[in-house]
Amino acid sequence: MATLRERQVHHERVLTALYEATEGNRLLGVPGRKLRNDLRIPEEDLAAACTHLAGEDLITVGREPGNTPAMVSLTHQGIRRMEAEEEERG
């Protein structure tokens, strides 16, 4: 299982990957399998990150059997957070 710091990194990497892949469009999603492969996050860590982010209302997650994320999308709140971070970076 991932440490607290690793989990925090996974959360940020998932949000960033979703934001970039969907160009901030909440109507688009990314297959969980693609996220796992692109980010090289173990399946159980990706599932945990998605569960956490969904609990924070930053993403929505469709699940496959076994709790594997099938399709992951940003929520309006998730897009707002990523836009605020992008503005802060300049």
Side-chain angles (χ1 to χ4, degrees):
M1 189 62 164
T3 65
L4 174 61
R5 180 67 188 132
E6 289 170 331
R7 290 191 308 269
Q8 291 169 333
V9 169
H10 293 330
H11 300 163
E12 290 305 315
R13 290 182 66 210
V14 168
L15 283 175
T16 300
L18 280 172
Y19 185 69
E20 290 173 357
T22 62
E23 297 178 348
N25 185 338
R26 69 185 184 134
L27 299 177
L28 300 176
V30 176
R33 186 169 297 150
K34 179 171 175 29
L35 277 176
R36 186 185 71 230
N37 292 339
D38 289 353
L39 299 176
R40 298 176 191 232
I41 296 174
E43 188 170 331
E44 64 273 1
D45 291 341
L46 178 62
C50 288
T51 298
H52 174 82
L53 294 169
E56 295 289 320
D57 195 32
L58 298 174
I59 67 171
T60 58
V61 184
R63 302 278 182 181
E64 292 179 358
N67 206 26
T68 302
M71 186 62 67
V72 185
S73 303
L74 288 167
T75 63
H76 180 70
Q77 186 68 20
I79 292 168
R80 288 181 60 200
R81 175 177 165 177
M82 295 307 296
E83 288 173 344
E85 288 180 13
E86 190 173 21
E87 284 180 3
E88 286 177 14
R89 288 190 300 268

